[in-house]
Amino acid sequence: GESVGLHLPTLSVQEGDNSIINCAYSNSASDYFIWYKQESGKGPQFIIDIRSNMDKRQGQRVTVLLNKTVKHLSLQIAATQPGDSAVYFCAEGSGSYDKVIFGPGTSLSVIP
Amino acid sequence: DAGITQSPRYKITETGRQVTLMCHQTWSHSYMFWYRQDLGHGLRLIYYSAAADITDKGEVPDGYVVSRSKTENFPLTLESATRSQTSVYFCASSESGYQYNEQFFGPGTRLTVL
């Protein structure tokens, strides 16, 4: 299940299940969104992006959904694996990195 | 080594001391960035650079100084460290300043200011 920890919300899923990680973004003018994965002790790593003229984009085992009406972004991970355990965070922007806003993230824990 | 590297990986210092965090990339990317990451907060941009000798402030520049004399290096200096600068610092690089060019992050430097 999902719970809000002391610092980061956490999501625990069983290996093989699908994971859904949510992100509420703040600026209705944002038109470019990125999901990052950050493993413990490492830097963030790009997973997938989506532009505001799309509402869905698929990658390898991941799907990002964008709902501009409610300013909501979600990342779906299919058949979650232990290697998916990490912090996931979204970033919203209007094209240039100097104006990007990063979310605080959700910690995903995969139970073997 | 190819990619983007940061040094040191861990640093403990005292209030008032000067500290320099190093960042080196081997891709010849034009843009480089410095972020800080604090628990419960998203990454926050400190400074960025569009090219050698071109730098600009980000969201939280106070207390930090950067330079970029060579394309591949982008050091970050805390001139007089304060406890509030205890954080994990990430350097990143990108071909351009636009989000459609992927940003690559270094492994981070964990800085503790006592």
Side-chain angles (χ1 to χ4, degrees):
Chain A
E2 183 170 343
S3 64
V4 177
L6 186 61
H7 297 290
L8 283 181
T10 58
L11 176 65
S12 297
V13 298
Q14 206 70 38
E15 181 179 356
D17 287 352
N18 296 335
S19 303
I20 299 177
I21 301 169
N22 298 304
C23 175
Y25 65 92
S26 58
N27 188 350
S28 56
S30 294
D31 58 9
Y32 200 105
F33 306 87
I34 302 174
W35 276 101
Y36 291 91
K37 174 185 180 182
Q38 186 174 15
E39 296 176 88
S40 181
K42 296 185 178 180
Q45 183 180 13
F46 171 96
I47 301 174
I48 191 169
D49 58 2
I50 189 169
R51 298 190 188 219
S52 60
N53 61 353
M54 305 171 70
D55 53 21
K56 180 179 180 179
R57 190 169 188 215
Q58 290 183 292
Q60 188 176 17
R61 277 201 310 119
V62 295
T63 300
V64 55
L65 299 178
L66 174 62
N67 185 331
K68 295 181 288 293
T69 302
V70 294
K71 293 192 288 186
H72 184 268
L73 203 62
S74 68
L75 177 71
Q76 301 178 0
I77 304 174
T80 311
Q81 303 168 358
D84 295 327
S85 293
V87 172
Y88 292 82
F89 57 90
C90 65
E92 59 173 299
S94 303
S96 61
Y97 279 118
D98 61 316
K99 297 293 189 292
V100 168
I101 300 170
F102 293 87
T106 295
S107 179
L108 175 66
S109 178
V110 181
I111 305 165
Chain B
D1 291 341
I4 183 164
T5 57
Q6 294 183 235
S7 62
R9 293 294 314 278
Y10 302 90
K11 177 74 177 178
I12 299 175
T13 191
E14 295 178 334
T15 301
R17 291 191 180 265
Q18 183 179 80
V19 177
T20 296
L21 310 184
M22 305 301 293
C23 178
H24 176 79
Q25 53 106 354
T26 60
W27 293 302
S28 298
H29 284 168
S30 296
Y31 275 75
M32 297 187 74
F33 309 83
W34 273 108
Y35 295 91
R36 61 177 291 170
Q37 186 177 47
D38 302 293
L39 209 54
H41 292 85
L43 290 169
R44 290 183 289 173
L45 183 63
I46 304 170
Y47 270 96
Y48 65 102
S49 168
D53 297 322
I54 301 175
T55 63
D56 212 340
K57 296 179 180 179
E59 179 187 354
V60 289
D62 293 345
Y64 304 95
V65 174
V66 293
S67 62
R68 195 163 176 211
S69 57
K70 293 183 178 181
T71 300
E72 61 267 30
N73 296 324
F74 191 37
L76 175 74
T77 298
L78 289 67
E79 292 190 305
S80 179
T82 64
R83 289 181 179 162
S84 65
Q85 292 177 309
T86 292
S87 187
V88 181
Y89 291 85
F90 289 99
C91 179
S93 72
S94 179
E95 287 185 3
S96 80
Y98 293 99
Q99 287 177 273
Y100 50 76
N101 283 128
E102 185 175 343
Q103 205 176 27
F104 295 89
F105 287 84
T109 294
R110 182 175 293 276
L111 176 68
T112 301
V113 183
L114 302 176

